Amino acid sequence: MPSPIEKHMDTRTTDGPTPKRIALARFHDGKAKANWGGRGTSLALAGLLASRSNTELVQPINGEFITAGFGEFTRVDKLKVRCRYAPNYVRKARPVMPTRPFPRVLEYADRILLTNHRNARAQSIVESISECDEFWMNGEGDFIMGYSGTLWRSLIMMAIAQRLGKPTVLVNSILSARGDGTAEPSVIDGVGSVLEKCSAIIYRDPVSLELSRKWFPQLSASWLPDALFGWSEWNNVVGSSYSPDTEGLPLSVQSLLRESDRIISISGSSVMREWSQLREQRISSFVQNLIANQFQPVMVATSDEDAWLERVAVANQVPFVPANVPLKSGMQLLSASQAFVSGRYHPSILSACVGTPLVTFGSNSHKTLSLLQVLGKDDPVCYPTFDEQTSVELLTDATLTAARSASDYRDELQGQARRCAAILRQGLESTVLF
């Protein structure tokens, strides 16, 4: 009689290569988050995998499983963690609470597979993985070495696929220390225990690959440009206002698209997730500097976490664009902008895809700086966030310089994005799983 794990394993035999059914995990369709990055890069990756010559089907596993969980860590587990941590409060110590036992990630994956009482979400994941030939985890910005529930769940899903005998790929992924430069050793251990069983490890930038060689020197890995570069190959002709190309943009912004050639779009950062008075004051000073130089700022929430930028927009009487606009409309706005100022990784890639100059500031990892390296910048600069007073003058000077010379660099920037797309497409096509 087969074990609970064996009954889900694929025992088919074949006399030769056959088209593969790929389970693509962490596919964002806006249900988990409305952010441009997750929606764009997961859709682009699905398209790239579907276009591979040996792909029959790409079956998405929605990003909601990563953000909301599937019983992989129960309330009892959480209570045990808190009880073990409680003595720190008695001693008035405040180390980081180990919210997940990363070195035991394989054990927790087995626990899901071996139980006869999975919840509906876990059952759905196991069935989706069981029905496919390969499991590809879209790592995106999740593999930052800190205690993260989303990273934990990504690893659990990868481990389930491995236990079911599915070739497993980590693709389109960062690997990074936290924003302060530190990394949890136990998280590194847990990640390594899963990565060592992968059939391929493909990061999205060279800095991630360097860290992989440092933390996991025994593992073979590579890097390819982010999947979202694939969209640079599209025909990004700027459409007209009040059309399907701009659907969802506020009418004030549609009017600007028609009348102004001095738009500068401004987004947020993964380390500026909420309003503070100082942030508003500094961004307002930046916005007013742009207005004083006859530019038209537009505040753009490229993620749900940027929604507080609406307060800044209202205070400065400039337009605000919410995160849930269609991506095509967002790209139209970027195309019409003279510069894009952001600490967001994927929206900055979209900006490069349409040839709009980037001015980047800090985030929760090396991602914005490494993006400039991927784009071939000889002297990449990532400016401080609006949590620092120096950011106002630095970003003002950099933005005005970029906007005033935008026409000189659009073709070059878009050409570099398209070269990244070609490397990416060739690399994924030639990826051979063992």
Side-chain angles (χ1 to χ4, degrees):
M1 184 175 180
S3 71
I5 293 178
E6 290 172 336
K7 70 181 182 180
H8 287 287
M9 296 181 71
D10 192 346
T11 57
R12 296 173 299 166
T13 60
T14 179
D15 295 328
T18 57
K20 301 296 185 181
R21 298 168 300 171
I22 297 174
L24 175 59
R26 197 182 181 88
F27 181 84
H28 293 288
D29 58 6
K31 293 179 182 177
K33 281 188 175 182
N35 65 328
W36 294 14
R39 289 154 56 199
T41 193
S42 60
L43 185 59
L45 179 58
L48 288 163
L49 294 180
S51 67
R52 294 174 80 224
S53 57
N54 66 339
T55 299
E56 173 187 344
L57 172 71
V58 178
Q59 176 64 46
I61 298 178
N62 191 276
E64 284 182 295
F65 290 111
I66 302 296
T67 57
F70 42 88
E72 83 298 329
F73 201 66
T74 65
R75 290 182 180 178
V76 173
D77 295 319
K78 293 176 182 178
L79 286 172
K80 289 179 180 178
V81 168
R82 293 182 180 278
C83 288
R84 286 193 293 268
Y85 187 78
N88 289 299
Y89 282 93
V90 176
R91 296 192 301 267
K92 296 184 179 180
R94 292 294 184 272
V96 177
M97 182 185 297
T99 56
R100 302 290 190 280
F102 276 84
R104 298 170 59 197
V105 64
L106 302 178
E107 172 190 328
Y108 277 76
D110 280 345
R111 191 169 76 174
I112 289 176
L113 281 170
L114 293 170
T115 183
N116 292 321
H117 304 287
R118 297 187 200 101
N119 64 35
R121 295 172 67 79
Q123 182 65 22
S124 174
I125 288 172
V126 172
E127 290 177 353
S128 294
I129 296 174
S130 300
E131 292 167 358
C132 289
D133 302 299
E134 299 172 359
F135 181 82
W136 292 58
M137 173 55 71
N138 177 20
E140 293 186 25
D142 211 17
F143 279 66
I144 297 175
M145 299 297 99
Y147 291 113
S148 161
T150 60
L151 174 58
W152 169 260
R153 289 185 279 271
S154 293
L155 293 174
I156 292 284
M157 294 173 70
M158 294 171 71
I160 287 173
Q162 292 165 351
R163 291 291 282 137
L164 296 179
K166 309 295 181 179
T168 302
V169 181
L170 176 66
V171 67
N172 207 42
S173 182
I174 196 173
L175 182 69
S176 178
R178 290 174 294 202
D180 62 3
T182 64
E184 291 292 338
S186 65
V187 176
I188 293 174
D189 290 344
V191 169
S193 69
V194 174
L195 293 188
E196 68 183 10
K197 296 178 176 60
C198 284
S199 295
I201 303 168
I202 306 171
Y203 298 110
R204 69 186 190 186
D205 66 86
V207 178
S208 294
L209 181 57
E210 289 175 10
L211 286 171
S212 182
R213 290 168 176 165
K214 173 185 175 182
W215 290 332
F216 315 115
Q218 76 282 11
L219 300 182
S220 176
S222 62
W223 80 273
L224 290 171
D226 191 275
L228 197 50
F229 278 110
W231 283 10
S232 65
E233 298 174 337
W234 285 20
N235 181 15
N236 292 310
V237 176
V238 178
S240 60
S241 300
Y242 315 109
S243 72
D245 290 333
T246 57
E247 185 262 330
L249 293 176
L251 291 183
S252 59
V253 175
Q254 303 223 20
S255 177
L256 284 177
L257 295 181
R258 187 174 185 175
E259 300 169 0
S260 176
D261 60 357
R262 299 182 66 81
I263 299 170
I264 293 177
S265 293
I266 305 164
S267 183
S269 166
S270 52
V271 290
M272 293 169 34
R273 300 185 178 188
E274 57 187 19
W275 176 89
S276 75
Q277 187 173 16
L278 281 177
R279 283 176 181 164
E280 179 173 331
Q281 289 174 354
R282 289 165 184 164
I283 298 178
S284 293
S285 295
F286 173 63
V287 166
Q288 290 302 318
N289 287 345
L290 299 182
I291 293 173
N293 283 273
Q294 288 76 53
F295 284 96
Q296 174 59 65
V298 176
M299 308 306 298
V300 186
T302 58
S303 171
D304 309 48
E305 297 163 347
D306 296 341
W308 61 272
L309 290 176
E310 186 172 11
R311 295 184 60 163
V312 181
V314 171
N316 291 276
Q317 298 182 316
V318 298
F320 171 77
V321 176
N324 61 357
V325 298
L327 291 173
K328 178 65 173 175
S329 299
M331 293 178 74
Q332 290 289 302
L333 172 58
L334 294 179
S335 295
S337 300
Q338 298 304 298
F340 179 53
V341 185
S342 178
R344 295 284 180 187
Y345 181 78
H346 286 112
S348 296
I349 293 178
L350 288 178
S351 186
C353 285
V354 298
T356 297
L358 316 174
V359 178
T360 63
F361 54 86
S363 67
N364 62 347
S365 68
H366 64 250
K367 58 189 177 185
T368 44
L369 187 60
S370 67
L371 172 59
L372 299 177
Q373 295 172 334
V374 170
L375 287 168
K377 295 286 186 181
D378 293 329
D379 53 347
V381 178
C382 183
Y383 295 95
T385 70
F386 288 103
D387 288 329
E388 298 182 37
Q389 180 60 41
T390 56
S391 64
V392 177
E393 182 177 352
L394 291 172
L395 283 168
T396 297
D397 291 344
T399 302
L400 292 176
T401 299
R404 287 167 176 162
S405 57
S407 59
D408 298 332
Y409 296 104
R410 282 187 180 276
D411 290 345
E412 178 184 343
L413 181 58
Q414 192 169 40
Q416 185 61 33
R418 287 175 174 170
R419 283 190 286 274
C420 287
I423 294 169
L424 167 66
R425 194 175 296 278
Q426 181 180 5
L428 288 179
E429 178 64 31
S430 61
T431 298
V432 177
L433 306 189
F434 55 84

